[in-house]
Amino acid sequence: MDSLSADKIREYRGTLTKPGVESPHRNRSVEENLDLFGRMRAGEFPDGAYVLRARIDMASPNLNMRDPVMYRILHASHHRTGDQWCIYPMYDWAHGQSDSIEGVTHSICTLEFEDHRPLYDWFLEQLGIFHPQQIEFARLNLSYTMMSKRRLLALVQKGIVDGWDDPRMPTISGLRRRGYTPESIRDFSERIGVAKRDSIVDVALLEHCLRDDLNKSARRVMAVLRPLKVIIDNYPDDKIEEVEAVNNPEDESMGTRPLTFSKVLYIEKDDFREDPPKKFFRLSPGSEVRLKHAYYITCVDVEKDEKTGEIVAVHCSYDPATKGGWSADGRKVKGTLHWVSAAHAIEAEVRLYDYLFTKEAPDVVEEGKEFTDFLNPNSLEILHGCKVEPSLAEAKAGDRFQFLRHGYFCADTKYFTPDRLVFNRAVSLRDTWAKIEKKQADE
RNA sequence: UGGGGAGUCGUCCAGUGGUAGGACACAUGACUCUGGAUCAUGGAACCGGGGUUCGAAUCCCUGCUCCCCAGCCA
């Protein structure tokens, strides 16, 4: 039993290069120690008055062996045992015993506990109980992601994220809400392996595993995130048709569904350019594209707001001979767009996520900086007024879809209701056009 | 500068005395009713210096770099 203050214990411990000094209380008699420990457990002393320490070796080059503390007084309410106890064991003292009691044969932990293994072994040996083997491995680090629980807690407490299950959080609840499948996480775990060296796994691999899984299983649906009105001039005003859409080209057994086509549609704003760059396969004045599963259309006119010059609608003509999305004359169109019928689409809120940090290793920060200095201001973008196909009205929280040409989305488990459809983007599709465009911009 | 660990393509993981391999990423091409998916091809690495050996990523010596430890945290 030691009655040195915490400060004194630190002082007596020595440093990395200087051996420690034994506490003046180190040689108390067994009787006195027993008496003191009994009273300590009985709650006679205030916090910090006494600690129980193991007498090992104050000169050990391993600081953990310099008479480590086993129990300290903490008059705190425990979430399970309440005020029943006022002394609590230190991790090193408790760790081996709980492993032993549980009959764990191999106790896996992270690298920073390598220095603690001699102590783990020492306690077990002194106790003479079943001796599990502790083995240390490197922790998982993900690029552009923070994995430290303490720092993640800070994000939650500061309100930077929407709780532990914020879809940007690398927590299980966060990944789940984001739309990650258990299969994809297991696949990822297998692919990254386990080793003893410090490393940062590319978050792109995690994303790849999700795409890989969802590509095979997710239902394809039409969702226009940033709507642009398209009017088919030569299509009858009141006509409504049904076209058949494949639910998943990777899995025929998932069947088809009907889609409603009409004169006024929405397409993606990005899918139209009045002044198209090179290699732009989408809609532009005079160009012909396919509306997926429906018709070929050609842009004939652009309608702009007189004051702002903003494009408010695009006028097209359609070829009635291309129903279903193919042409008997064999002519090809390079672009295929997704769309929804304006009168039939339903509204949704879509949340686009990006990495929480702009730095590959946000927990490695230089002097004077904090990890919060590298937060990505654009990690969340909320889109209102998105137009999605009517079948999504039957979606349930947690359902996953591929929004055609966009990515994989998950109906949010926190905010999704029949009256308010909220979808989280789990991961985008690979965007080859974005690369081409970026390359063109660089040149 | 005490002690404990780790160094292999851009990234992660294999290879432990016999042709350095896979995945992701990247690049190029093919195909395509998703610029998706798929397929093909390609570039790309043994921390440095010695030594042992017919032969070294692997064994030996030596140097270098990086990570962890001075909580009554875990």
Side-chain angles (χ1 to χ4, degrees):
Chain A
M1 293 290 294
D2 199 356
S3 36
L4 242 33
S5 69
D7 282 347
K8 280 294 173 198
I9 287 182
R10 187 179 308 121
E11 202 180 309
Y12 277 53
R13 185 157 32 230
T15 69
L16 293 178
T17 48
K18 267 191 300 217
V21 177
E22 295 186 353
S23 165
H25 312 295
R26 197 175 197 259
N27 295 306
R28 280 205 246 246
S29 69
V30 172
E31 293 72 30
E32 195 185 352
N33 278 328
L34 246 25
D35 172 59
L36 250 20
F37 186 61
R39 291 163 62 192
M40 171 171 154
R41 188 261 171 273
E44 285 187 28
F45 308 121
D47 286 5
Y50 287 94
V51 287
L52 178 66
R53 300 175 68 180
R55 292 199 302 186
I56 307 180
D57 177 11
M58 287 308 289
S60 172
N62 181 345
L63 299 253
N64 295 123
M65 301 301 271
R66 317 243 260 230
D67 291 6
V69 171
M70 298 160 74
Y71 281 104
R72 79 286 211 190
I73 303 169
L74 244 39
H75 289 277
S77 235
H78 188 270
H79 67 103
R80 297 186 95 102
T81 55
D83 297 329
Q84 208 177 327
W85 294 89
C86 61
I87 60 170
Y88 290 89
M90 298 296 288
Y91 175 79
D92 284 319
W93 165 240
H95 187 200
Q97 290 175 72
S98 51
D99 284 348
S100 183
I101 290 164
E102 291 169 10
V104 167
T105 57
H106 301 269
S107 179
I108 311 300
C109 61
T110 41
L111 252 27
E112 66 267 32
F113 292 101
E114 281 171 326
D115 282 340
H116 295 246
R117 179 158 25 93
L119 182 52
Y120 180 96
D121 290 338
W122 190 88
F123 279 136
L124 252 15
E125 220 163 282
Q126 299 302 310
L127 257 12
I129 56 177
F130 169 68
H131 192 152
Q133 183 186 0
Q134 173 179 303
I135 308 173
E136 309 83 14
F137 291 102
R139 63 185 298 144
L140 166 63
N141 293 301
L142 259 189
S143 58
Y144 302 101
T145 309
M146 177 69 64
M147 297 293 246
S148 150
K149 269 178 286 185
R150 293 176 186 203
R151 284 169 172 164
L152 255 16
L153 173 64
L155 295 180
V156 173
Q157 287 176 336
K158 288 179 183 171
I160 292 167
V161 294
D162 180 28
W164 285 100
D165 63 350
D166 185 290
R168 290 166 294 182
M169 292 283 271
T171 51
I172 292 295
S173 60
L175 289 172
R176 184 181 289 145
R177 205 176 139 202
R178 178 77 171 258
Y180 271 85
T181 59
E183 292 75 13
S184 67
I185 296 172
R186 288 195 201 100
D187 181 32
F188 171 72
S189 307
E190 272 168 34
R191 292 192 200 218
I192 59 176
V194 181
K196 295 195 72 161
R197 64 173 111 160
D198 289 317
S199 61
I200 302 176
V201 176
D202 193 340
V203 67
L205 180 58
L206 211 214
E207 297 177 332
H208 167 83
C209 292
L210 212 220
R211 288 193 192 102
D212 203 37
D213 185 23
L214 257 22
N215 177 47
K216 292 172 233 153
S217 59
R219 219 182 92 194
R220 271 61 169 169
V221 293
M222 301 277 207
V224 176
L225 270 30
R226 298 174 177 89
L228 171 65
K229 190 176 279 187
V230 169
I231 300 156
I232 314 290
D233 291 339
N234 60 339
Y235 196 85
D237 285 357
D238 302 324
K239 190 173 172 183
I240 284 170
E241 290 184 81
E242 273 193 354
V243 296
E244 191 181 38
V246 172
N247 287 331
N248 187 341
E250 306 288 319
D251 181 1
E252 262 189 45
S253 74
M254 289 178 72
T256 61
R257 68 189 185 287
L259 246 31
T260 309
F261 188 86
S262 65
K263 184 184 180 77
V264 183
L265 313 166
Y266 288 115
I267 63 166
E268 210 66 52
K269 256 194 184 114
D270 275 355
D271 283 340
F272 177 79
R273 293 287 178 84
E274 190 175 15
D275 187 19
K278 264 185 200 156
K279 296 201 181 162
F280 186 80
F281 298 163
R282 283 110 97 142
L283 199 64
S284 58
S287 81
E288 182 173 51
V289 299
R290 168 169 39 239
L291 292 179
K292 179 93 176 168
H293 305 305
Y295 288 104
Y296 286 9
I297 59 167
T298 303
C299 173
V300 294
D301 197 14
V302 182
E303 193 179 322
K304 292 181 184 174
D305 183 292
E306 281 175 21
K307 285 176 193 151
T308 64
E310 195 193 344
I311 298 170
V312 292
V314 171
H315 288 261
C316 293
S317 63
Y318 84 115
D319 179 353
T322 56
K323 183 165 185 186
W326 61 279
S327 166
D329 65 14
R331 78 175 186 276
K332 303 271 186 208
V333 287
K334 277 194 249 173
T336 299
L337 312 186
H338 59 280
W339 53 275
V340 291
S341 167
H344 304 87
I346 55 177
E347 294 231 344
E349 174 181 330
V350 171
R351 300 178 168 211
L352 305 179
Y353 298 99
D354 197 352
Y355 305 136
L356 245 186
F357 295 92
T358 53
K359 196 171 185 283
E360 188 171 21
D363 45 358
V364 182
V365 289
E366 48 266 45
E367 275 288 308
K369 294 247 179 188
E370 279 193 83
F371 74 95
T372 44
D373 292 338
F374 303 101
L375 279 165
N376 177 4
N378 307 314
S379 62
L380 168 63
E381 185 182 0
I382 299 180
L383 265 26
H384 297 278
C386 303
K387 306 285 187 180
V388 302
E389 66 172 67
S391 72
L392 250 15
E394 276 135 56
K396 291 188 295 296
D399 284 354
R400 300 183 187 87
F401 304 90
Q402 185 197 100
F403 285 5
L404 219 70
R405 303 208 300 136
H406 280 300
Y408 298 97
F409 291 75
C410 181
D412 190 63
T413 48
K414 200 162 177 174
Y415 301 121
F416 188 94
T417 66
D419 300 325
R420 182 185 172 205
L421 311 184
V422 181
F423 294 96
N424 296 315
R425 183 174 67 192
V427 65
S428 66
L429 250 23
R430 288 188 60 216
D431 191 348
T432 309
W433 167 243
K435 276 183 196 171
I436 295 169
E437 202 174 29
K438 188 177 182 300
K439 210 165 117 189
Q440 286 179 352
D442 290 345
E443 281 165 5

